Amino acid sequence: MFDGFNSVKARLLDKVLAVASEHSDSDLDVTDLVAEATSAFDPDADEIPALPVIAAVDPDSIEGCDLLSTPIVGSGDVTLSALIETLGNDDWVLAGQRYLEHTDGVCPFCQQGTPADFAQYLATYFDDTYARKVEGLGQFARRYRDEASRLRAALTAIDPGGVVQLPTEAFELAVSRLEAVLDANERQVESKVARPSSTVVLAGFAESVEAVNELRLHR
């Protein structure tokens, strides 16, 4: 900062005074500055490692995220599709289909006999396209959980007590807010997996991650 001023005392003094006037709102007095300078240049001082930067992957960039806002429903080219779509009970019918193969042709809900081709109707309704979307949703859910776990592990690895001048309360608040976003998103993802025909929206956590990273500036 003082390159070009060190050889001329008067110029150096003017520079120091100019810098001081630009930072006149500092709440540090001379005693504080001397203490910091003494600590910084103490040859026996312990080196404090830098607070690591937390990197985050935006949920929107994870493959399959678009499925969250897309109702995953069965094929429209089946006799039963109009009724199912009118009632909006794809998830309920899908649950029944899984039981049907164990009930010897009896509806698992009303206990009435079903048409001979009923199971085939359901198999056609929940076709390969439906299965691929559900599988894609499951893969997204696993990737999101992995990313959330990685972020939590990175936060846990930070020891706020070992970082000089890190505002502990502010750090804990920022971490708490980030964890709340991660938890809320995981609940949304789990809800979508349980009910593929529903739609959910995830909250971005880039802002919460940045709030944690900005505390590095307080060291």
Side-chain angles (χ1 to χ4, degrees):
M1 179 174 65
F2 294 110
D3 286 348
F5 296 91
N6 293 326
S7 60
V8 181
K9 293 182 179 180
R11 290 179 60 194
L12 177 60
L13 176 59
D14 290 339
K15 179 64 175 178
V16 170
L17 293 175
V19 171
S21 64
E22 293 173 1
H23 299 81
S24 59
D25 59 344
S26 173
D27 56 0
L28 297 177
D29 58 23
V30 174
T31 302
D32 295 325
L33 294 173
V34 170
E36 287 196 2
T38 301
S39 175
F41 293 100
D42 182 357
D44 298 321
D46 294 327
E47 181 178 354
I48 301 297
L51 187 66
V53 175
I54 303 299
V57 175
D58 193 305
D60 290 342
S61 67
I62 301 177
E63 184 178 356
C65 184
D66 58 307
L67 293 171
L68 299 180
S69 58
T70 303
I72 300 177
V73 296
S75 171
D77 299 325
V78 179
T79 303
L80 294 173
S81 62
L83 176 60
I84 295 174
E85 290 171 9
T86 298
L87 297 177
N89 60 352
D90 286 71
D91 304 316
W92 183 81
V93 174
L94 178 62
Q97 183 199 31
R98 293 165 180 162
Y99 291 117
L100 185 62
E101 59 188 55
H102 304 292
T103 60
D104 295 325
V106 176
C107 174
F109 298 115
C110 69
Q111 296 298 297
Q112 301 298 310
T114 60
D117 52 2
F118 188 69
Q120 183 58 44
Y121 275 135
L122 294 183
T124 304
Y125 184 75
F126 297 110
D127 57 10
D128 290 343
T129 299
Y130 179 90
R132 284 195 297 271
K133 289 182 179 179
V134 170
E135 174 60 24
L137 176 63
Q139 291 176 356
F140 170 84
R142 290 189 290 273
R143 293 188 183 108
Y144 180 82
R145 284 194 292 267
D146 289 345
E147 173 62 12
S149 295
R150 185 192 64 78
L151 277 174
R152 290 192 181 97
L155 294 172
T156 302
I158 298 175
D159 176 16
V163 181
V164 176
Q165 296 183 2
L166 177 67
T168 303
E169 290 186 7
F171 175 80
E172 291 177 348
L173 178 60
V175 169
S176 177
R177 287 174 175 170
L178 174 54
E179 290 178 337
V181 173
L182 295 176
D183 291 344
N185 281 351
E186 281 189 307
R187 288 193 294 271
Q188 289 285 70
V189 172
E190 290 171 1
S191 173
K192 173 68 176 181
V193 171
R195 298 182 59 246
S197 66
S198 65
T199 60
V200 300
V201 178
L202 299 188
F205 44 70
E207 183 177 338
S208 297
V209 171
E210 184 58 27
V212 174
N213 286 332
E214 284 181 354
L215 294 172
R216 299 172 70 251
L217 303 177
H218 292 271
R219 293 185 69 247

